[in-house]
Amino acid sequence: MCYSGPSMTKRTGHRDWRWQALWWHHFFLLWTTIDGQTRYSIPEELKQGSVVGNLAKDLGLGLSDIFDRKLRVASEAGEQYFSVDAGKGELVVNDRIDREALCGQSASCVLPLQVVLEDPLQLFRVEVEIQDINDNSPKFPSNDITLEIAESTVVGVRFPLESAIDPDVGSNSLKSYTLSKDECFSIRIKEVAGGRKVPELILAKLLDREKKAVHHLLLTALDGGNPVRSGTSQISVKVLDNNDNVPVFEKILYKVSIHENTADGATVVETKASDMDEGQNGEIEYSFGAHTSDIVLSVFTIDEISGSIFLKGKLDYESTSNYEIDVSAKDKGSPRMEGHCTVHVEVLDVNDNAPEIILTSHPKPVREDSPNGTVVALLSARDLDSGDNGKVTLQLPHISQFVLKPSFAQNYALVTRGILDRENVSEYNIEITATDSGSPPLSSKKTLTVSITDVNDNPPVFTQPSYNVYLKENGVPGSILYSVSASDLDFGENAKVSYSILDSKVQDVSVSSYVYMNSDNGSIYSMHSFDYEKLKVFQILVQAKDQGSPCLSSNATVHVFILDQNDNAPAVIYPSSAALGSLSHQRMPRSAKAGHLVTKVTAVDADSGHNAWISYRLAEATDSSLFTVNLYTGEVRTKRAVSEQDDSSQRLLIEIKDDGEPVQSSTVTVSIMVEDGLHEPILDLRQKAVEPSKKTGRITLYLILSLASVSVLSLVTFLILAVKCIRSSRSSGSCCMRRSDCDDYKNPNRNLQIQLNTDGPIKYVEVLGGDMLSQSQSFRSCMSPMSEYSDFTLIKPSSTTDFKEVISVLDASLPDSTWTFESQQVSKYQPFILALKIQYDG
């Protein structure tokens, strides 16, 4: 008979770690730099705010860099266990660190940190090793264990007991077991795969149920910490009769390997046990051990008859890479005998996890003038698989303006490559592909959006290099002349355009005295009314400038042409009335015949074109039947012969009108004294034949001969000049009209010829040729002495640009006349302005 009295052990479970934390802080707070990486070692369970190390000093950074470069710490574990004291540059504990929760039973527990600095982007890798402290006591899965052992069980039989669990590692882990004193039982420690210590209860002496039916034992588990921690479990051994052979497995340990993608229902292993007994004592039923974990039960199942273990759940190498399964074989005897074996299942990795791309630093906007190699973002790649299945490579499209630059341990920097142009591409969507080395390989993609910020590299551009503006004279001051527009391909402030007028001179006066410009919309306004007779054309040099730094600009020219309005009345230049007011005194003989030239009224108009075409009309007369006024020349002639009954004093009111709209006019009063004995002027000799008078005699004959000689000489001279003019016009392209003088205005860029042949004497011709950008004229004018009252005037630019219209106007205004117009190289020099004004006698 075996009997042992009750025994008691002291249980320690109080957690007061302050002294331990202080001890670790002074002796194990170490850091080292390995291959450019900084490594610290700290104990777990440090208080919040405890200093890990001077991060700024160890990384070679100044305290100002923490603020200026926005230093931050990122943890790959997800939980932010550490932070940086910005004032001291120290890495401090931010949250409770439980090594067992982070790393479980792993021998090494390292928390990788990424320290990110911006402007420029820079990445440091810091590792913090979490060292274990003895903060966990061993604990059994069950505080009470009941065993049934037949009294016939031979000495030396072993009964496996459930192991205690101690989350600590190393020297703080589970080290030994003790058993309360009992002469019938002893304890033995057995190490299984993975270094796990399993206690076995050994029968040291035969049992006698009659003496002691139940044995109460206290099993104590001890760790190796200082001080030692322990946990206990109460064992109750019931002594049974009969069935004295236990089932025995063929193997104490079964080892099997299985891929993690094995289908449900697959056979994992077949266990086999035998029992020397007969009958029900030899019939065996298989089951998992009483203390099999729920994880094992969710993944595996066992056939109670055959002992085969089947897969019923999903295997995942990344969560659990191996399983330890306790298999029990019980016979049906009374009492039931039980045998045990261990099945070790190793899970083989399969490439079933796609790689993952992790952004360490989100991409920042990039200037379009950034040099090659500018860091845009920091990123890393990881794969939960192992071996080749966990090796990841990152790729970018070949046409990308960016490239991945590897740094260390699956970390990359996204940097620029090539020239960036925001005007072509303002935003890049960069697709990064991560591919592992498994078979078949798995991949994943991540798209990063990188914005390109604008740089002022495009000047404003006007819609036209030059503008032509046609403005009527006498406009309202402050009215808008024209609006120019320029656009800028840049963005934001770089694309905001302001307009201004560059200083230049117009008739020796600054152009800003004539016009001003709205800097916002490019509208040009007049400062005052323009007078065509004073200013005909001028240029405005405008500038468009953006708001970039430095600013860019471009220029354009605005050509302003003043268009004539009929704002000037004709002015009488003969007969001169400066001294006599508006009254002119003339004399004529009473013997005057019909057609006698009494006087000639001459007027000019400061306007141009149709506005300067002058016509004469007899408005009032003492005797309207006696006088007539030529509509075009202003010559006052007699309509009939003067009679003795006509008054000796005649008064004529002559009205002079232009051809503008509205019509402008002026008048002149001519007083004619009819006198007896007053001879007709020699001018009438051309209208009738002069008969020799007997009174003149030989002297009159000499006068006639002299006059004829002078006339012949003048005719010969005119013919010579006419021939030279025709030859010169053919070679130089001049404008030729029959006149006594020949004036040349030369311009090598024009070739214009106008020939006019009229039946009546030409009074005057106005001709202009030139382009819109220049007021230079090039003409040769030839005139003949057909009328002593004719003149020639070269006038101003006109808005007329259609030559056919000019020709039609000339044709309509010159009845019974024939003339030709030739213009060479006109299309090449368009636009071309031509204005002619012709008045003729008769």
Side-chain angles (χ1 to χ4, degrees), residues 42 272 392:
I42 64 170
K272 186 68 174 176
V392 183

Side-chain angles (χ1 to χ4, degrees), residues 716-732:
V716 171
T717 302
F718 170 75
L719 291 175
I720 294 173
L721 291 175
V723 170
K724 292 181 66 178
C725 179
I726 292 173
R727 290 179 178 178
S728 177
S729 67
R730 289 178 180 177
S731 61
S732 63

Side-chain angles (χ1 to χ4, degrees), residues 273-345:
S274 59
D275 194 317
M276 299 296 292
D277 296 323
E278 294 181 353
Q280 286 189 343
N281 293 333
E283 293 180 6
I284 299 174
E285 289 182 349
Y286 298 91
S287 63
F288 290 132
H291 302 288
T292 303
S293 66
D294 293 336
I295 296 177
V296 173
L297 294 176
S298 65
V299 178
F300 302 98
T301 183
I302 190 170
D303 188 297
E304 63 179 12
I305 298 175
S306 65
S308 297
I309 298 177
F310 300 96
L311 190 64
K312 75 169 186 179
K314 293 292 185 181
L315 295 173
D316 188 1
Y317 171 85
E318 288 69 38
S319 60
T320 306
S321 59
N322 58 77
Y323 295 89
E324 290 281 343
I325 306 174
D326 181 28
V327 180
S328 173
K330 292 182 179 180
D331 60 24
K332 296 181 179 180
S334 181
R336 302 187 66 176
M337 305 298 288
E338 183 179 8
H340 294 268
C341 75
T342 301
V343 177
H344 180 81
V345 180

Side-chain angles (χ1 to χ4, degrees), residues 170-195:
S171 61
N172 297 324
S173 63
L174 182 65
K175 293 299 182 184
S176 62
Y177 292 90
T178 61
L179 187 66
S180 60
K181 187 176 181 181
D182 191 305
E183 62 180 356
C184 296
F185 296 94
S186 64
I187 192 74
R188 179 180 178 273
I189 308 302
K190 175 186 176 183
E191 282 199 10
V192 296

Side-chain angles (χ1 to χ4, degrees), residues 80-110:
Q80 197 69 22
Y81 291 103
F82 301 94
S83 61
V84 177
D85 187 341
K88 299 179 180 179
E90 295 175 336
L91 184 68
V92 297
V93 176
N94 193 48
D95 198 359
R96 176 177 176 266
I97 301 175
D98 186 358
R99 185 188 186 282
E100 289 72 30
L102 289 174
C103 304
Q105 295 292 312
S106 176
S108 174
C109 185
V110 177

Side-chain angles (χ1 to χ4, degrees), residues 824-842:
Q824 302 175 9
Q825 301 179 354
V826 172
S827 61
K828 179 178 179 182
Y829 299 100
Q830 289 289 5
F832 192 89
I833 305 173
L834 175 69
L836 299 97
K837 184 172 181 180
I838 303 172
Q839 283 195 267
Y840 60 95
D841 293 336

Side-chain angles (χ1 to χ4, degrees), residues 569-688:
V572 178
I573 59 175
Y574 184 83
S576 175
S577 57
L580 300 177
S582 61
L583 183 63
S584 174
H585 296 275
Q586 303 289 333
R587 294 186 303 163
M588 64 173 288
R590 187 175 290 275
S591 61
K593 305 301 180 182
H596 175 79
L597 178 63
V598 179
T599 186
K600 179 178 180 179
V601 178
T602 302
V604 295
D605 195 313
D607 293 320
S608 177
H610 283 276
N611 297 329
W613 290 13
I614 297 175
S615 62
Y616 303 86
R617 184 179 70 88
L618 183 62
E620 296 179 6
T622 303
D623 186 354
S624 59
S625 64
L626 182 58
F627 298 98
T628 182
V629 177
N630 188 283
L631 178 65
Y632 301 107
T633 64
E635 294 178 346
V636 179
R637 296 180 182 271
T638 56
K639 294 173 65 175
R640 58 178 174 80
V642 182
S643 65
E644 294 296 333
Q645 290 77 23
D646 292 327
D647 293 339
S648 60
S649 176
Q650 298 287 332
R651 189 181 183 90
L652 306 180
L653 179 64
I654 300 174
E655 182 184 28
I656 303 110
K657 296 191 298 182
D658 60 24
D659 197 33
E661 181 64 35
V663 175
Q664 300 280 354
S665 65
S666 60
T667 60
V668 62
T669 303
V670 179
S671 177
I672 302 174
M673 300 298 296
V674 181
E675 299 179 1
D676 295 327
L678 183 65
H679 295 287
E680 295 183 10
I682 199 170
L683 181 63
D684 292 337
L685 290 176
R686 65 182 180 178
Q687 298 182 8
K688 64 180 181 178

